[in-house]
């Protein structure tokens, strides 16, 4: 009899172990459920005719090709793609929600197709990713090259490999920028190697794909030197404020100098003492002097390359150019540099346009500037942008384009800068104008999320204005999943302590026994020992420090610790585990009690 009871106990305990094992497997499985891909198929035409066999089809999201095929290839056959043998032949993989890296598409992202490296026109015109969907998208291009060049980067490969687990100590500093922007200093990583086999991505440890630029950077301003002097041609015409023609002195050179912190400009004209310059124009150099509506004088000096193309213009605003008898001179109140609008056609984004203006605190000596535009910044800068977006409570969904400004001898000279950017209306409609921000990486490595103003639409383009208080460097127009969290700038407001009212203490009535009636009601006030005049005391609020320390802990390299998949709460499963354990253990204890093996003898 006791043997049977012992067997029952063993069976119950075995059931406990099996239940625990099954539940733990369920919990582990629920941690990372991969999402299904988006299946595409359709016709492919080249120049209006069905495409030849073997043309590579790419499906790109954010500059990365996430296309895959169940047949092992993603090429055309019989003028089609995605219909060769199986309906799920051509797929765009979905992101694995169980890892911090981005291995595929996220619902709502734009999918761009390429045929043999050429961006295709799609029907329908706008294609977005949606997990588990099956969509027909027809592709057409006017022509294809003889050799294949990928239109976008391959996805980062994720392979199980024994790697050292990275313990990331990431401390970032956030600074509130003028206009309400957020400045974030990228965190530094301190890797602590431990011999742990983890499923680690072969890419670098960042929170976003390290997609490389889809096109070679396009130089819009070659290396150009800012002149300290400008030579005028003999054809220059200048008149004083009364309309009289003024004779140019020999040499004909305009000089810009900074002496004792004062910027001064001098023109080579024998202007009588006390007279001022009214107008000037040189048809060869393009130098021009004009009077503004507010009475000030503006001197514009174009800087041209060897071919005569204007690369930038130096503008000096001053109260007046006053004659000295041999020259015309004046103190500059505003000195700035302007780079004219330049349009570049980029893969995935389309035509973009950039114009730049920047304040010059003084006229630099031997300074130069160089500007280029690309689809994305370099990998390190992109990683810093990703970290900054994470620190601002959002994430990057795409980068419209990047502007790289290389400077020499300008770091201490350039002040605030303004960038006007144009980008395609379709790209803006896809991501939402409210989610677009200008990002800047300074020469010191600091990342700024800049004040970005949406001006409006001009035809098929959208115009944005970005203000950079800290000058020129690397910029990008970035699409975010949601607007960043902006830290409001605290305002120091002195708090005035009100003067307490001096109320004399009431004279007590000599009554031996308190009477229930005729009890005077005393209004609660501040009672002072003696009514003395106290001057008001001002307690100033501490001046807010612009530098606010913030600790940002980014996701480390992908490890075996996965993020639970959406829709399957691990916390709920743990609760179920506890309930099941309680029921089973209770049953075992009850059985032992009834059989006399727990708490009683017999």
């Amino acid at each position: 009899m006791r043997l049977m009871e012992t067997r029952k106990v063993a069976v119950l305990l075995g059931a406990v172990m099996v239940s625990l094992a099954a539940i733990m497997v369920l919990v582990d499985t629920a941690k990372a459920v991969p999402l299904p891909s988006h299946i595409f198929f359709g016709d492919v035409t080249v120049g209006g005719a069905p495409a030849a066999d073997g043309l590579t089809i790419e499906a790109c999201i954010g500059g990365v090709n996430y296309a895959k095929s169940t047949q092992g290839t993603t090429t055309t056959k019989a003028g089609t793609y995605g219909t060769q043998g199986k309906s799920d032949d051509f797929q765009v993989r979905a992101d694995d929600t169980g890892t911090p890296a981005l291995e595929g598409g996220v619902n709502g992202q734009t999918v761009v197709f390429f045929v043999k490296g050429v961006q295709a026109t799609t029907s329908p015109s706008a294609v977005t990713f949606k997990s588990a969907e099956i969509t027909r998208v027809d592709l057409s291009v006017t022509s294809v090259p003889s050799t294949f060049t990928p239109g976008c980067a391959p996805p980062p490969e994720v392979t199980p490999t024994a790697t050292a687990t990275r313990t990331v100590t990431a401390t970032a500093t956030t600074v509130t920028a003028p206009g309400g922007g957020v400045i974030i200093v990228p965190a530094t990583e301190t890797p602590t190697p431990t011999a742990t086999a983890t499923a680690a991505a072969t890419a670098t440890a960042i929170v976003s794909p390290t997609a490389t630029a889809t096109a070679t950077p396009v130089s819009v301003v070659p290396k150009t030197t800012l002149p300290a002097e400008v030579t005028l041609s003999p054809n220059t015409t200048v008149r004083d404020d009364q309309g009289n023609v003024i004779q140019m002195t020999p040499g004909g050179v305009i000089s810009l100098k900074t002496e004792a912190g004062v910027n001064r400009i001098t023109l080579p004209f024998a202007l009588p003492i006390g007279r001022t310059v009214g107008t000037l124009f040189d048809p060869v150099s393009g130098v021009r002097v004009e009077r503004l509506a507010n009475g000030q004088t503006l001197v514009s000096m174009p800087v041209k390359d060897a071919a005569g193309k204007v690369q930038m213009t130096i503008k000096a605003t001053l109260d007046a150019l006053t004659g000295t008898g041999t020259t015309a001179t004046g103190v500059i109140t505003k000195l700035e540099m302007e780079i004219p609008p330049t349009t570049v056609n980029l893969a995935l984004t389309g035509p973009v346009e950039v114009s730049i203006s920047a304040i010059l605190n003084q006229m630099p000596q031997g300074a130069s500037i160089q500007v280029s535009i690309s689809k994305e910044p370099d990998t390190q800068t992109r990683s810093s942008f990703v970290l900054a977006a994470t620190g601002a409570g959002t994430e990057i969904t795409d980068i419209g384009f990047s502007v790289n400004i290389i400077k020499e001898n300008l770091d201490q000279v350039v002040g605030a800068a303004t960038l006007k950017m144009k980008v395609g209306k379709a790209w803006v409609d896809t991501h939402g104008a409210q989610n677009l921000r200008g990002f800047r990486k300074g020469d010191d490595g600091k990342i700024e999320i800049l004040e970005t103003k949406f001006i409006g639409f001009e035809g098929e383009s959208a115009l944005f204005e970005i203000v950079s208080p800290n000058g020129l460097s690397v910029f990008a127009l970035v699409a975010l999943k949601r607007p960043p969290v902006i830290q409001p700038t605290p305002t120091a407001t002195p708090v005035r302590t009100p003067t307490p009212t001096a109320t004399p203490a009431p004279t007590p009535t000599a009554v031996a026994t308190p009477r229930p009636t005729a009890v005077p009601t005393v209004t609660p006030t501040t009672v002072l020992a003696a009514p003395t005049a106290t001057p008001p005391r001002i307690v100033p609020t501490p001046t807010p420090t612009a530098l606010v320390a913030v600790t940002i802990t980014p996701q480390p390299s992908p490890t075996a610790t996965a993020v639970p998949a959406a829709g399957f709460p691990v916390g709920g499963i743990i609760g179920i585990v506890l309930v099941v354990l309680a029921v089973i253990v209770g049953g075992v204890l009850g059985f032992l009690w009834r059989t006399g093996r727990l708490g009683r003898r017999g």
Side-chain angles (χ1 to χ4, degrees), residues 401-452:
F401 62 98
S402 175
V403 181
N404 186 21
I405 302 174
I406 302 174
K407 315 176 295 296
E408 290 184 10
N409 299 325
L410 276 176
D411 292 338
Q412 305 301 323
V413 175
V414 176
T418 301
L419 287 81
K420 291 186 178 180
M421 297 181 170
K422 280 187 181 180
V423 68
K425 182 177 182 295
W427 187 82
V428 174
D429 289 341
T430 298
H431 299 285
Q434 73 280 3
N435 296 326
L436 302 185
R437 292 294 187 277
F439 276 54
R440 174 185 182 268
K441 181 181 180 181
D443 297 332
D444 56 0
K446 289 183 179 179
I447 304 299
E448 298 174 79
I449 301 179
L450 300 171
E451 178 184 359
T452 305

Side-chain angles (χ1 to χ4, degrees), residues 230-236 248 251-254 267-269 280-282 284-285 287-288:
V230 178
T231 302
L232 298 173
S233 75
N235 300 325
T236 303
M248 184 168 64
V253 174
I254 298 177
L267 276 62
F269 294 96
L280 179 149
F281 178 66
D282 180 5
V284 178
S285 65
V287 174
R288 183 185 299 272

Side-chain angles (χ1 to χ4, degrees), residues 44 58 87 180 341 380 382 431:
V44 183
E58 299 170 278
S87 62
Q380 183 180 7
R382 193 186 198 284
H431 299 285

Side-chain angles (χ1 to χ4, degrees), residues 75-112:
T75 58
T76 55
K77 185 175 182 180
T80 65
Y81 77 101
T83 57
Q84 299 129 40
K86 296 181 68 176
S87 62
D88 60 350
D89 178 58
F90 188 95
Q91 304 179 7
V92 176
R93 70 190 69 180
D95 178 41
D96 183 356
T97 59
T99 68
L102 195 63
E103 302 89 357
V106 177
N107 287 347
Q109 288 185 311
T110 300
V111 183
V112 180

Side-chain angles (χ1 to χ4, degrees), residues 255-272:
S255 67
L256 294 149
K257 294 183 179 180
T258 302
E259 297 176 347
V262 176
N263 297 320
R264 179 175 292 275
I265 184 171
T266 302
L267 276 62
F269 294 96
L271 185 65

Side-chain angles (χ1 to χ4, degrees), residues 493-499 536-539:
T493 304
V495 178
R496 183 182 296 273
T497 303
T499 304
R537 184 170 62 93
I538 299 177
V539 182

Side-chain angles (χ1 to χ4, degrees), residues 123-159:
S123 178
S125 58
V127 182
T128 56
F129 179 87
K130 189 171 183 181
S131 176
E133 287 285 308
I134 301 176
T135 307
R136 172 170 182 160
V137 178
D138 294 332
L139 311 177
S140 63
V141 294
T142 55
S143 62
V144 293
S146 57
T147 57
F148 170 65
T149 301
C152 51
E157 296 182 1
V158 180
T159 55

